[in-house]
Amino acid sequence: MPLPFRSRWAPLILLAAALGACSPVFNWREVPIADDGLVALLPCKPDHATRNLPLGGGSVSVAVDVTGCEAGGATFAVAHATAEDAAQAEAWMHAWRAATRSQLTGAAIAETQATLPRAAGSPAPVRLEAPQQGPGGPMPAHVLWFAQQRAGKMALYQATVLGRPTSAEAPGVFFEGLRLP
């Protein structure tokens, strides 16, 4: 004898409702960054902001667009600025790296050359790793700086994971998900 309609579908409806109520910690999605064509893989719905950073030397501030979010105990962000030429890009990138290192006072910092498909060779991509040095020290940081020439100008980027994500694979997924056009 066949089961009534409600009896047959009740377990599936309950399962669908339970799955719908679950929210994964890392809900990866592709997000376009600025209008330059970079696509980042972020683990959550991003927020957007613009801040002025003193990259231009002296009292000159540069507008930097930031797209990022927090998930699983860490902040994932991509910052973007546009330099007029390669010389300005090199100077700004040097200042950007120095400003980041100064915020990590007390951390063991390791900087290495990095690679990213279609990134400019100058300024060259650089990776920074700063693990947490015990309780009370700066939060762990993973940073990648890179640039790309676009329409006669230089697009500069800083991709950052700040904190210790609940998934050890999350920083790798984030950095491997950066795609330049």
Side-chain angles (χ1 to χ4, degrees), residues 60-87:
V60 178
S61 289
V62 175
V64 176
D65 297 316
V66 182
T67 301
C69 60
E70 293 181 35
T75 298
F76 298 79
V78 180
H80 166 265
T82 302
E84 292 298 319
D85 55 36

Side-chain angles (χ1 to χ4, degrees), residues 45-150:
K45 184 178 178 183
D47 290 319
H48 306 279
T50 300
R51 356 180 329 196
N52 289 317
L53 296 179
L55 301 179
S59 62
V60 178
S61 289
V62 175
V64 176
D65 297 316
V66 182
T67 301
C69 60
E70 293 181 35
T75 298
F76 298 79
V78 180
H80 166 265
T82 302
E84 292 298 319
D85 55 36
Q88 187 179 56
E90 190 74 46
W92 286 5
M93 195 69 82
H94 179 74
W96 208 344
R97 289 174 44 206
T100 301
R101 283 191 307 274
S102 73
Q103 294 174 356
L104 297 170
T105 303
I109 297 172
E111 278 192 16
T112 57
Q113 293 296 316
T115 59
L116 185 69
R118 294 186 275 294
S122 178
V126 174
R127 181 93 182 237
L128 176 144
E129 299 289 331
Q132 188 167 14
Q133 302 295 306
M139 292 188 357
H142 309 273
V143 184
L144 174 64
W145 291 277
F146 56 98
Q148 185 180 47
Q149 187 163 10
R150 304 285 295 158

Side-chain angles (χ1 to χ4, degrees), residues 22-42:
C22 294
S23 171
V25 173
F26 298 101
N27 184 6
W28 297 99
R29 66 204 56 218
E30 290 186 343
V31 177
I33 305 297
D35 292 328
D36 290 327
L38 174 69
V39 174
L41 195 58
L42 290 172

